[in-house]
Amino acid sequence: MNRILVTGGAGFIGSNFVRLVLAEQQDCFIVNVDKLTYAGNLENLEGFLDNKNHIFVKADICDGKTIEQLIDKYQIETIINFAAESHVDRSIQEPKVFIETNVTGTLTLLEAARDKKIARFIQISTDEVYGELGPTGKFTEQTPLSPNSPYSASKTAADLLVKAFGHTWGLQFNITRCSNNYGPYQFPEKMIPLMINNALNDKPLPVYGDGLNVRDWIHVEDHCRAIWKVLTDAKPGEIFNIGSSNEKTNLEVVKTILDAVGKPHSLITFVKDRPGHDRRYAIDSTKINTQLGWKAETNFQEGIKRTIEWYLQNKKWLAGVTSGQYQKYYQQMYSNR
Ligand code: NAD
Ligand code: TYD
């Protein structure tokens, strides 16, 4: 039995990961620790909340005592750290909580992992630690770390702490750096679900700047399968980029969404750019392709179609996460743009 403590498992990628593992692996027990911030939602655990191989615990990753108690109680062997403040725009508004969760939280988990002799620590990082690219080239694992936003700076600090624990105390770790994810259960502060939600409600689609910034999109299920591959097959101490070679400008993505839901391109509204907006991300996944035999399976056209269908079929979920606080957030972020 593989006994795993997953953090942030009520968020977008974490919940997709736990769902996939419970569906496909019979010999896994998952302790799912999440603070349930605005981005964490028990509705994301639909279908597996009561699974006998899963237990949900509401806790903060900065609470070392609780983490250590959980490790002991459930004889945890592996920690996979998804928990984070994850939205760049929020990190520009209020950076402090990004340092608390992404840096201090990761440090707290690392101390617990070291003291409790955890067999493997997997840090879910991001390609944003590499900064931005010009019109050509791709991020490899050798690209120098050069984060530009408070979000990516906090994730970089966490990566460096993970490496330092490996070097200093021999902690067995892996770090994964994935590109932009899309798929079911993504909170509609991120571009794709935000644009889908606005299109469904005939609201303007706020495209930052000239709309020509490029992101390298990967379906969340492909990302989750890559993480599983790293957990089972990677040598400790290795870092892997994860991507799907799906570079698109934001304008292309937004037009694809409007066409798919049958709404006019006139809903596109160019708004003031994000400060320090990274121009282009693109991932070179050669290392994970060749060393672990993983490659992304979902092409973007098919993946985005399935994703839009999911949001159409889950209007109740969407209405739930876009009520109350979200309306305030939207006002604050977009009313003066
Ligand atoms: P998310 O914001 O949807 O989910 C984050 C989860 O962490 C939420 O459930 C939240 O409640 C929980 N959380 C936040 N602070 C916590 C704390 N102090 N203690 C315990 N739980 C806490 O984020 P996501 O998009 O699912 O991203 C998951 C991870 O993947 C993050 O580490 C992120 O940096 C990384 N990542 C995301 C993307 C992407 O495109 N979304 C791409 C690459 C890497
Ligand atoms: P986002 O989903 O926030 O991810 P990240 O900034 O981590 O890449 O944004 C994806 C791209 O979409 C990014 O270039 C910013 C842009 N964007 C908009 O144009 N409008 C929006 O309302 C949002 C949220 C993002």
Side-chain angles (χ1 to χ4, degrees), residues 86-89 128 151 180 186 189-192 194-195 206-208 213-215 217 250 274 277-278 281 334:
S86 66
H87 191 40
V88 173
D89 291 320
E128 300 189 28
Y151 162 67
N180 287 65
Q186 188 169 30
E189 63 188 349
K190 304 291 189 325
M191 184 182 70
I192 288 185
L194 184 146
M195 299 297 182
V207 172
Y208 298 166
N213 297 64
V214 172
R215 296 294 183 262
W217 295 97
N250 294 335
R274 170 190 284 172
H277 193 176
D278 283 343
Y281 302 145
Y334 294 94

Side-chain angles (χ1 to χ4, degrees), residues 44 52 110 181 210 280:
N44 295 358
K52 66 175 180 14
L110 287 166
N181 285 222
D210 61 7
R280 176 173 164 261

Side-chain angles (χ1 to χ4, degrees), residues 100-337:
E100 282 160 17
T101 288
N102 301 359
V103 185
T104 307
T106 303
L107 174 64
T108 307
L109 292 174
L110 287 166
E111 287 178 329
R114 176 198 61 196
D115 295 349
K116 297 291 173 185
K117 304 193 171 28
I118 289 296
R120 187 70 62 103
F121 188 98
I122 300 192
Q123 175 68 2
I124 307 303
S125 186
T126 163
D127 60 350
E128 300 189 28
V129 298
Y130 299 121
E132 68 176 340
L133 293 163
T136 58
K138 291 186 175 207
F139 297 132
T140 72
E141 290 81 359
Q142 276 71 48
T143 302
L145 301 177
S146 182
N148 287 321
S149 71
Y151 162 67
S152 54
S154 68
K155 293 294 291 185
T156 307
D159 282 16
L160 294 176
L161 283 168
V162 173
K163 283 186 77 176
F165 270 64
H167 187 84
T168 309
W169 288 287
L171 181 78
Q172 310 264 292
F173 73 87
N174 294 105
I175 298 172
T176 61
R177 295 183 179 144
C178 190
S179 61
N180 287 65
N181 285 222
Y182 68 96
Y185 300 101
Q186 188 169 30
F187 191 79
E189 63 188 349
K190 304 291 189 325
M191 184 182 70
I192 288 185
L194 184 146
M195 299 297 182
I196 294 173
N197 185 47
N198 284 16
L200 293 179
N201 291 298
D202 297 302
K203 280 173 61 180
L205 272 54
V207 172
Y208 298 166
D210 61 7
L212 298 180
N213 297 64
V214 172
R215 296 294 183 262
D216 191 351
W217 295 97
I218 183 171
H219 192 274
V220 65
E221 194 176 315
D222 281 324
H223 182 191
C224 292
R225 287 189 191 283
I227 294 166
W228 184 256
K229 198 79 180 150
V230 169
L231 170 70
T232 53
D233 292 8
K235 280 196 302 206
E238 295 291 327
I239 296 174
F240 293 94
N241 284 352
I242 301 170
S244 181
S245 295
N246 261 314
E247 285 184 56
K248 305 275 174 216
T249 64
N250 294 335
L251 215 44
E252 281 176 283
V253 174
V254 165
K255 285 179 183 166
T256 304
I257 292 170
L258 286 169
D259 293 344
V261 297
K263 297 289 168 93
H265 288 194
S266 56
L267 283 177
I268 294 173
T269 311
F270 291 95
V271 300
K272 190 158 158 253
D273 209 352
R274 170 190 284 172
H277 193 176
D278 283 343
R279 192 62 173 171
R280 176 173 164 261
Y281 302 145
I283 276 268
D284 181 339
S285 309
T286 307
K287 181 175 173 184
I288 190 167
N289 296 160
T290 54
Q291 287 192 10
L292 304 185
W294 171 90
K295 72 174 178 34
E297 282 165 12
T298 314
N299 83 42
F300 186 73
Q301 291 310 325
E302 175 211 320
I304 194 80
K305 198 167 147 243
R306 266 201 281 140
T307 300
I308 292 168
E309 273 161 19
W310 186 87
Y311 286 95
L312 284 168
Q313 282 160 13
N314 288 274
K315 284 192 176 143
K316 209 170 135 230
W317 181 91
L318 200 51
V321 297
T322 54
S323 63
Q325 277 301 110
Y326 180 82
Q327 294 302 325
K328 268 198 201 143
Y329 166 81
Y330 199 89
Q331 269 291 108
Q332 198 190 1
M333 239 16 160
Y334 294 94
S335 60
N336 295 322
R337 253 186 142 121

